[in-house]
Amino acid sequence: MARQRSFTSYVADRFYNELFAVINDYAEIKADSLNLRLYQVNKIGGIELTDITVKFASVNDLPGSEIEFEVVIDAEFNVREADYHYDTDEFTSQWFMLKCKGDLSCGLDDFQITDISIYNGKNRQPKPMSDALVPIISKDNLESIATDFLKRNYPKALLQPMAIDPSELAKSMGLTVKLKRITEDCSIFGQIFFEDSTAEIYDEKLCQSVEEEVSAKTILVDPETYFLYNLGKVNNTIVHECVHWDLHRKAFELERLYNNEASRIKCQVAGGVEGNSWTATEWMEWQANALAPRIQMPMGMFKTQASKYIKEYRDMLGKDDIIDVIEPVIDELAAFFCVSRLAAKIRMVDAGYEEAIGAFIYVDGRYVTPHKFRKNAIREDQTYTISAEEATIQSVINREFGELVRTGVYQYVDAHFVLNHPRYLEQRADGLVYLTDYARNHIDECCIPFDMTVKSTDKKDYYSVCYLNKDKDSTVSFDIKYSDGYQNSTDAAKKAKLVEEIVMEEMAIFQDLPNDYERSMKKVWDWKHEKEGLTYKELAERIHMDDQTISRLINNKRDPSINSLVLICLGMHLPPEISMHLIDKSPVALNYNKNDHIWYKFALTHLSKQSMISIENFFQEHNVQI
């Protein structure tokens, strides 16, 4: 069903004569009441319908394969003057609305026109359909449509929490599920057959596709889905195909009116929807994708089960904050409803648990600590989470962002740029820097947002892709770039005041630095020694050097290497601009043609306030030698 079919065009082509005849009869009988716009003819003496143009058809869905629709037609008339003293005629037009109905299962052979009237505006249909006969469904109606689906096909799922058996669901709808290897590359998860057909099936023994007879009302599911993905994906595929059967048979019948060889809908793995001009097939896929998890996890029952697991894990872990139990709760819900982790996570967000947005975010080969921000704090195409590589790129190519982070006001911690303030960052007994509990619950208050562009997607809703689909096994990849800075997140005035407190002292030191290396290093050391009581021995322990070497390097009795100077700057937790001043005035320099040096610059810029344990771990993760 790759081509876009138009019901309006089909009606205009096939039923032109019938539509013409009804309008012609109406005009002859009610010529004086047509209210035509005439400028030369004063009194109608005769009227002739010369042509009609179908403008559009407004379709209402009915049970089974029946539809009713209103056809709006622009009719052109030739009107003659009644007064014989004037040999005058003129052309004019009038719009009409014709109410029609028919059954698609018989190819609209029973087409009827039930009423005709002057067009005075488009009517709102109770169950509207698009011109491709795809139901028009808004996001706001998805829950009610899923509930209606279950009432008709699996009502017990609305009485108590349970995992829906997709094979039982299909059977209740008169459908048969068969496991068949559909393609060699597993690019098609499932197919729903509306008519008896000959299908191509991949034969693993012959290593080629072969033809096989498939009956109508059959769902084929590729068994490789079990091995490549999980049971949740298989269940979702079957429910997905059941939605196609329930909602999209009329679109299929329209396709058959154009092409009687059509027999099925294929549901492929990949292929994103870009822009706003979606085809009928893309809309059908969106509807099936959106409704399947709502059918598998009906909202009322899902909330009941979620509340149960939240209470259990709060008691088990001794935690009151939902953010501390959100990940095991999501996994329990996924196992209970036999769905994927991502599906359960998205459903938690649908249910109002904003904590789920920051759960199971996979960056730099690990999961980020669960965190929370208000759902509308940033746009749907933005994120607070950014990998180290993406952060490095942005700090180099974006001058505004580079200047912002070089001040040291923001620290790169747990894949976020976090405002460097005790309210948001803390160093624990293990020597590592962590987000405080307050920060984890208020990410939008203390972190910088970034814009995201989806580079590849598997036809998920854009919100689901950008906000939620960053799990370890996600097929989605992103381009990340700096947005408009911290001032876009909430409580900018409070944030600005905190920034000022942190920056002013460090900026005063920076502005007083001499223009040579030896005196600059001495001034920086004196500042750290007086302010924090830092000693050569303590610094030596931090960066794994002996204190005599530290003394000689600090007092310029020995030329530093770039490695030792970077370590000294990091060990003293210097603001980035002070570190770069020391390096610029020193006899050594960073070489950005070397990968290690790029990471040195990143650490000096983004990690300067973190413990050396954190920095060493970071270097190890990225194979940096220092």
Side-chain angles (χ1 to χ4, degrees):
M1 295 184 64
R3 297 181 61 185
Q4 186 85 337
R5 302 302 190 185
S6 169
F7 182 70
T8 298
S9 297
Y10 181 83
V11 169
D13 292 341
R14 180 174 175 184
F15 301 114
Y16 179 92
N17 292 336
E18 290 88 338
L19 299 170
F20 188 100
V22 168
I23 294 175
N24 189 58
D25 292 344
Y26 182 89
E28 288 182 354
I29 297 171
K30 298 187 176 183
D32 293 331
S33 62
L34 290 180
N35 195 26
L36 299 173
R37 292 184 179 181
L38 299 172
Y39 301 97
Q40 300 177 36
V41 173
N42 295 309
K43 184 178 181 181
I44 298 176
I47 186 169
E48 178 185 7
L49 178 63
T50 58
D51 195 11
I52 62 170
T53 302
V54 175
K55 305 303 290 185
F56 61 86
S58 176
V59 185
N60 182 46
D61 197 3
L62 294 177
S65 54
E66 292 185 330
I67 54 172
E68 60 184 10
F69 49 99
E70 296 170 344
V71 182
V72 175
I73 295 175
D74 183 4
E76 183 182 87
F77 294 98
N78 183 20
V79 183
R80 297 184 300 278
E81 175 63 55
D83 189 338
Y84 68 90
H85 292 98
Y86 302 95
D87 185 16
T88 304
D89 65 353
E90 68 176 290
F91 286 92
T92 189
S93 64
Q94 174 70 59
W95 280 33
F96 293 88
M97 177 183 287
L98 280 67
K99 293 186 177 181
C100 312
K101 66 178 183 179
D103 193 320
L104 290 163
S105 65
C106 63
L108 293 181
D109 289 342
D110 62 343
F111 171 78
Q112 296 180 49
I113 301 172
T114 60
D115 188 38
I116 179 173
S117 61
I118 303 297
Y119 177 73
N120 58 8
K122 186 176 180 180
N123 292 327
R124 183 184 295 274
Q125 299 289 5
K127 299 180 69 175
M129 307 188 81
S130 73
D131 193 43
L133 299 190
V134 177
I136 296 175
I137 299 173
S138 70
K139 286 185 178 181
D140 293 339
N141 292 332
L142 288 170
E143 298 293 347
S144 62
I145 291 172
T147 299
D148 176 69
F149 178 96
L150 287 169
K151 285 180 179 178
R152 291 182 285 109
N153 301 301
Y154 210 95
K156 62 183 179 180
L158 297 172
L159 301 178
Q160 65 182 45
M162 66 175 61
I164 288 177
D165 183 335
S167 296
E168 182 182 339
L169 170 65
K171 185 177 180 180
S172 74
M173 299 174 68
L175 305 174
T176 301
V177 178
K178 292 185 177 181
L179 297 179
K180 291 285 184 180
R181 185 73 182 272
I182 301 173
T183 58
E184 180 181 6
D185 61 1
C186 300
S187 60
I188 298 176
F189 283 164
Q191 292 181 333
I192 176 73
F193 286 78
F194 294 89
E195 298 288 337
D196 294 344
S197 174
T198 300
E200 284 194 352
I201 305 297
Y202 183 73
D203 190 312
E204 293 182 277
K205 293 181 179 179
L206 298 177
C207 295
Q208 65 181 31
S209 295
V210 297
E211 291 188 344
E212 184 173 314
E213 295 298 320
V214 179
S215 301
K217 306 179 75 172
T218 297
I219 295 173
L220 295 187
V221 177
D222 195 319
E224 287 296 302
T225 308
Y226 284 97
F227 304 106
L228 293 176
Y229 297 91
N230 50 47
L231 177 62
K233 185 66 176 179
V234 176
N235 290 347
N236 179 271
T237 297
I238 296 172
V239 176
H240 179 109
E241 302 302 334
C242 289
V243 172
H244 279 318
W245 177 263
D246 190 62
L247 293 183
H248 302 139
R249 275 177 287 172
K250 289 183 171 70
F252 169 78
E253 291 295 347
L254 175 61
E255 175 68 22
R256 280 181 57 81
L257 292 176
Y258 281 96
N259 171 24
N260 60 14
E261 297 296 321
S263 62
R264 78 206 77 170
I265 292 178
K266 299 179 182 179
C267 298
Q268 294 182 291
V269 176
V273 177
E274 299 180 357
N276 296 318
S277 300
W278 286 13
T279 66
T281 301
E282 288 164 344
W283 275 117
M284 287 189 287
E285 283 300 290
W286 177 83
Q287 291 174 3
N289 283 334
L291 286 168
R294 288 171 169 83
I295 291 167
Q296 292 176 281
M297 298 171 281
M299 183 56 74
M301 299 301 101
F302 182 84
K303 285 184 175 180
T304 298
Q305 198 65 20
S307 297
K308 175 185 174 184
Y309 286 138
I310 289 171
K311 183 179 185 304
E312 288 179 0
Y313 274 95
R314 276 174 164 168
D315 294 342
M316 184 189 309
L317 301 177
K319 300 286 187 179
D320 290 328
D321 201 330
I322 293 179
I323 201 171
D324 293 318
V325 301
I326 194 69
E327 290 190 341
V329 166
I330 289 172
D331 277 341
E332 288 283 5
L333 289 167
F336 179 85
F337 287 103
C338 295
V339 298
S340 68
R341 172 189 282 172
L342 177 61
K345 173 180 173 177
I346 293 173
R347 207 68 178 121
M348 283 291 280
V349 178
D350 291 341
Y353 292 99
E354 295 175 357
E355 294 85 355
I357 298 174
F360 295 117
I361 302 296
Y362 194 78
V363 173
D364 289 336
R366 63 181 180 83
Y367 281 107
V368 176
T369 305
H371 53 273
K372 175 186 176 183
F373 56 89
R374 293 179 300 104
K375 186 175 179 180
N376 296 318
I378 52 177
R379 300 193 312 268
E380 293 183 357
D381 60 347
Q382 290 185 309
T383 181
Y384 292 108
T385 306
I386 181 171
S387 71
E389 181 179 0
E390 291 161 344
T392 303
I393 293 171
Q394 288 303 304
S395 65
V396 172
I397 68 174
N398 191 299
R399 182 176 179 181
E400 181 185 356
F401 176 68
E403 290 296 326
L404 180 64
V405 297
R406 271 192 289 275
T407 63
V409 174
Y410 282 85
Q411 290 295 301
Y412 184 71
V413 179
D414 202 14
H416 296 86
F417 278 99
V418 188
L419 190 62
N420 186 16
H421 190 276
R423 179 178 298 168
Y424 308 120
L425 294 176
E426 62 183 359
Q427 185 170 337
R428 297 181 185 170
D430 59 5
L432 301 179
V433 175
Y434 294 86
L435 274 72
T436 64
D437 289 341
Y438 181 87
R440 290 197 301 124
N441 280 279
H442 300 84
I443 287 291
D444 49 308
E445 180 180 313
C446 59
C447 294
I448 297 176
F450 295 85
D451 292 341
M452 291 193 301
T453 303
V454 179
K455 293 193 292 188
S456 63
T457 174
D458 54 356
K459 287 194 174 182
K460 298 287 193 305
D461 176 82
Y462 195 73
Y463 166 76
S464 302
V465 169
C466 284
Y467 261 26
L468 308 175
N469 199 349
K470 297 190 78 173
D471 199 356
K472 179 179 179 180
D473 300 321
S474 171
T475 60
V476 181
S477 57
F478 305 87
D479 279 328
I480 306 289
K481 68 177 183 178
Y482 174 60
S483 182
D484 292 325
Y486 67 87
Q487 63 270 25
N488 275 351
S489 52
T490 59
D491 210 349
K494 182 192 297 183
K495 189 172 295 186
K497 187 174 186 302
L498 292 172
V499 168
E500 184 178 2
E501 292 175 3
I502 298 167
V503 167
M504 293 309 294
E505 180 186 6
E506 295 177 348
M507 188 54 62
I509 296 295
F510 173 68
Q511 291 175 345
D512 286 343
L513 288 178
N515 202 31
D516 66 88
Y517 172 71
E518 182 177 356
R519 289 189 299 148
S520 292
M521 178 60 81
K522 185 177 187 310
K523 187 172 184 65
V524 170
W525 175 257
D526 290 344
W527 169 51
K528 283 292 182 178
H529 178 66
E530 293 172 8
K531 180 178 175 62
E532 302 173 8
L534 184 64
T535 64
Y536 295 144
K537 182 177 181 180
E538 183 179 353
L539 179 58
E541 290 174 351
R542 288 182 188 177
I543 62 177
H544 308 298
M545 292 184 186
D546 64 80
D547 52 354
Q548 291 183 350
T549 300
I550 292 293
S551 175
R552 288 195 293 271
L553 289 170
I554 294 293
N555 293 292
N556 203 30
K557 303 299 183 182
R558 172 178 171 179
D559 286 340
S561 66
I562 187 61
N563 296 45
S564 63
L565 185 51
V566 167
L567 283 172
I568 286 172
C569 292
L570 291 172
M572 287 197 289
H573 304 304
L574 297 180
E577 68 274 10
I578 293 179
S579 294
M580 296 313 299
H581 178 90
L582 291 174
I583 292 173
D584 288 343
K585 303 304 177 184
S586 76
V588 294
L590 290 169
N591 181 355
Y592 296 120
N593 291 320
K594 295 182 178 181
N595 191 61
D596 284 352
H597 286 216
I598 294 174
W599 288 114
Y600 295 166
K601 175 67 177 300
F602 179 88
L604 290 167
T605 303
H606 305 304
L607 309 179
S608 62
K609 297 301 174 67
Q610 295 193 24
S611 70
M612 285 306 299
I613 296 175
S614 296
I615 295 171
E616 288 167 3
N617 289 342
F618 177 85
F619 282 152
Q620 288 176 5
E621 289 173 4
H622 296 279
N623 299 314
V624 178
Q625 301 296 320
I626 190 166

